[in-house]
Amino acid sequence: MNRRGPIDLRTQISRRKLLGGLSALTVALTSPIWRTSTVFGKDENQPGAKRFIGIFSANGTVQSSFFQPGDAHEAPLSLGPILAPLEEHKQRMLVLKGVHMSSTVEDELGVPSANKPGGPHMKGPGAMLTGGSLLAGSFTGAGGPAGWADRISVDQVIASRIGGDTQFPSLEFGVRIEGQEPLRVISYRGPNQPNIAVDDPFQMYSRIFANADLSDTELRRLIAERQSVLDFLKDDIGRLQKRVSSEDKSRLEAHLGGLRNIEQRLQSSAVSCTPLAMPEKFDPRAMENYPKVGRLQTDLMLLAHICGMTRVSTFMWANADSWQYYPWIGVNEEHHELSHAGDEDAAASEKLVKINAWHSEQVKYVLDQLALAKEVDGSSLLDNTLLLWGNELGAGNTHSYKDIPWVLAGGAGGYFKMGRYMKYADLPHNNLLVSVCNAMGLEDVTTFGIPGVCTGALPGLVT
């Protein structure tokens, strides 16, 4: 009896079902909303994708409570009062001292320039990620006038290299960003091309999900539907394997391998890549809503990274020159005013330490969540992320650009040797930006920002 016909018929029917199922699964998994943190069909042994997050907070720091004592160039990291909330992440951190924002006031190292526009708080945000300075312009303010920054920022250089396969090459978040324009921007696409951060979480939510038009319930249902399609395909292919030729069998085994990778990603995304339940609308500009806006914006940023919507983001806690109050931690005076108090003013210093420690808690939350989110290869997103936290000043009461409180955190794919305090002898922060590029895989970058204030990567950071 000729059994070839029925077997072929069964194969053809199942292949149609297989192709239909794969098509539905592909649509679901490659939707802009649910494109996960790993590439479709990626091998489970391939390392996770690198990510960059730049975080800004304002008005310098209390240096004695931020930097650890001692003159050693390198020492195991010990966290003082400001960074204490980050203790559990200490082995994934580098704290840098002696790295100055020289480009704000110099075009050649050690040679102050008389032609740099802008006041002390205006210069810093324009230089933080660009390694440049401000252009001439009409923005007023203390020490003004000035314009936007004169060159591209490091986040945008990174985004141009690694962000092409994501829905958003970069995303710019903020919380209560007020004041004149140079105070409100750290990210630049190029000279005089600011990436103005979105500081309204409802606006950012709409932007991220603009192409979806799905409710939270519909988004949750999509996860369940993807799992159902996957279960159908695995069972169907498993039955089909027993009834096809050896040639077809090898093809089906390849399909099963791909489905196993997808299943791993789906299980991860069902835990980590879930829709954010937004609250009823409120005023994001109200002073008292600062922590609420900050948490929503942070969760949206994390969602975008975990779901693979972006691999590059920046986050501004207020504007440079911040006029924010912090009553929820017992600080009822303006941050900027407090930052001008003398070092001998113990009461003001204590409040500044509280403000800065609160920001450390917010950074800790970011690191905590990245550590929980898993890649296909079993690593965490934190293993593959580099977070850079900086400021527009070293100290608010002197408007100094020396000893900016820099923190590097995360795994950076193992590029940096973490868990250390590094004290340098007056090096420009342009060198730090070179190191950031190199850690993100841009090994060809040997200088960044103004060439005259860059001498290459910071020494001693790599493994």
Side-chain angles (χ1 to χ4, degrees), residues 320-342:
D321 210 12
S322 171
W323 307 291
Q324 179 66 37
Y325 292 70
Y326 295 79
W328 57 91
I329 55 172
V331 178
N332 296 299
E333 294 89 352
E334 183 189 75
H335 186 190
H336 179 249
E337 181 180 353
L338 285 169
S339 75
H340 279 259

Side-chain angles (χ1 to χ4, degrees), residues 279-440:
E280 293 294 322
K281 283 200 171 183
F282 58 86
D283 182 4
R285 301 301 173 95
M287 185 81 70
E288 64 273 14
N289 288 334
Y290 191 78
K292 186 193 297 187
V293 173
R295 183 51 54 90
L296 274 176
Q297 289 283 74
T298 301
D299 283 340
L300 284 168
M301 179 181 72
L302 289 164
L303 181 71
H305 278 278
I306 290 169
C307 296
M309 298 173 183
T310 193
R311 291 171 61 189
V312 178
S313 63
T314 55
F315 197 107
M316 290 190 74
W317 286 101
N319 48 282
D321 210 12
S322 171
W323 307 291
Q324 179 66 37
Y325 292 70
Y326 295 79
W328 57 91
I329 55 172
V331 178
N332 296 299
E333 294 89 352
E334 183 189 75
H335 186 190
H336 179 249
E337 181 180 353
L338 285 169
S339 75
H340 279 259
D343 292 341
E344 71 283 354
D345 189 334
S349 293
E350 181 182 357
K351 291 174 181 178
L352 287 169
V353 169
K354 283 185 177 181
I355 290 171
N356 286 289
W358 183 84
H359 285 104
S360 285
E361 292 172 3
Q362 312 318 303
V363 173
K364 176 186 182 298
Y365 179 76
V366 173
L367 301 182
D368 286 346
Q369 302 309 307
L370 290 173
L372 290 173
K374 298 301 181 183
E375 300 274 24
V376 169
D377 65 357
S379 64
S380 71
L381 263 68
L382 184 58
D383 292 327
N384 304 307
T385 298
L386 179 62
L387 182 148
L388 173 65
W389 178 18
N391 203 294
E392 90 266 29
L393 295 169
N397 56 6
T398 61
H399 289 159
S400 171
Y401 300 114
K402 292 184 178 294
D403 295 325
I404 303 293
W406 298 110
V407 174
L408 288 167
Y415 187 84
F416 292 135
K417 181 182 177 183
M418 295 296 198
R420 296 179 296 156
Y421 172 73
M422 305 293 291
K423 184 175 182 180
Y424 293 99
D426 303 319
L427 289 180
H429 92 292
N430 299 61
N431 293 15
L432 169 60
L433 300 179
V434 172
S435 293
V436 166
C437 287
N438 295 164
M440 294 303 299

Side-chain angles (χ1 to χ4, degrees), residues 237-250:
I237 291 175
R239 290 191 297 269
L240 191 58
Q241 273 186 309
K242 301 174 183 178
R243 309 190 58 165
V244 296
S245 67
S246 58
E247 181 182 356
D248 282 341
K249 190 171 185 178
S250 64

Side-chain angles (χ1 to χ4, degrees), residues 222-241:
L222 183 57
I223 293 178
E225 289 174 351
R226 293 195 310 178
Q227 185 66 63
S228 297
V229 172
L230 181 61
D231 289 342
F232 160 74
L233 288 171
K234 286 181 64 182
D235 292 344
D236 198 56
I237 291 175
R239 290 191 297 269
L240 191 58
Q241 273 186 309

Side-chain angles (χ1 to χ4, degrees), residues 32-302:
I33 304 308
W34 291 112
R35 188 175 298 143
T36 57
S37 58
T38 52
V39 177
F40 181 81
K42 173 179 165 182
D43 188 277
E44 63 186 85
N45 295 317
Q46 185 174 336
K50 287 188 177 182
R51 295 166 179 82
F52 174 77
I53 298 174
I55 295 182
F56 169 89
S57 59
N59 292 324
T61 192
V62 179
Q63 302 233 339
S64 61
S65 296
F66 183 90
F67 296 112
Q68 67 191 62
D71 295 324
H73 165 61
E74 176 184 348
L77 186 57
S78 174
L79 303 182
I82 288 176
L83 296 178
L86 292 159
E87 181 68 28
E88 69 181 88
H89 295 291
K90 184 170 64 175
Q91 296 309 313
R92 291 178 176 270
M93 292 170 55
L94 283 164
V95 175
L96 313 177
K97 188 175 183 181
V99 180
H100 313 324
M101 212 180 290
S102 305
S103 70
T104 54
V105 292
E106 297 176 0
D107 289 319
E108 298 292 336
L109 281 177
V111 183
S113 172
N115 302 315
K116 298 276 189 177
H121 290 275
M122 297 170 79
K123 288 183 172 76
M128 177 182 156
L129 296 181
T130 68
S133 52
L134 296 179
L135 295 165
S138 59
F139 301 135
T140 59
W148 300 114
D150 63 354
R151 64 197 65 232
I152 193 170
S153 55
V154 71
D155 59 301
Q156 294 303 294
V157 171
I158 293 169
S160 71
R161 299 282 196 96
I162 71 171
D165 61 349
T166 58
Q167 183 181 358
F168 302 101
S170 69
L171 287 169
E172 293 74 43
F173 297 81
V175 186
R176 284 200 83 240
I177 303 174
E178 309 286 346
Q180 281 285 0
E181 280 73 4
L183 303 174
R184 303 172 62 236
V185 177
I186 58 174
S187 175
Y188 287 85
R189 299 184 304 278
N192 206 34
Q193 298 179 61
N195 276 333
I196 298 175
V198 175
D199 63 357
D200 180 342
F202 300 100
Q203 181 183 344
M204 182 60 86
Y205 185 89
S206 296
R207 180 186 177 193
I208 290 176
F209 296 110
N211 297 324
D213 195 27
L214 298 175
S215 68
D216 288 350
T217 300
E218 289 170 323
L219 290 172
R220 291 188 181 95
R221 189 176 67 241
L222 183 57
I223 293 178
E225 289 174 351
R226 293 195 310 178
Q227 185 66 63
S228 297
V229 172
L230 181 61
D231 289 342
F232 160 74
L233 288 171
K234 286 181 64 182
D235 292 344
D236 198 56
I237 291 175
R239 290 191 297 269
L240 191 58
Q241 273 186 309
K242 301 174 183 178
R243 309 190 58 165
V244 296
S245 67
S246 58
E247 181 182 356
D248 282 341
K249 190 171 185 178
S250 64
R251 292 194 185 107
L252 289 172
E253 286 174 349
H255 276 305
L256 277 177
L259 291 174
R260 279 191 290 269
N261 288 338
I262 294 170
E263 184 176 38
Q264 288 177 314
R265 294 170 49 218
L266 186 57
Q267 290 169 347
S268 174
S269 67
V271 174
S272 303
C273 186
T274 55
L276 184 65
M278 295 293 285
E280 293 294 322
K281 283 200 171 183
F282 58 86
D283 182 4
R285 301 301 173 95
M287 185 81 70
E288 64 273 14
N289 288 334
Y290 191 78
K292 186 193 297 187
V293 173
R295 183 51 54 90
L296 274 176
Q297 289 283 74
T298 301
D299 283 340
L300 284 168
M301 179 181 72
L302 289 164

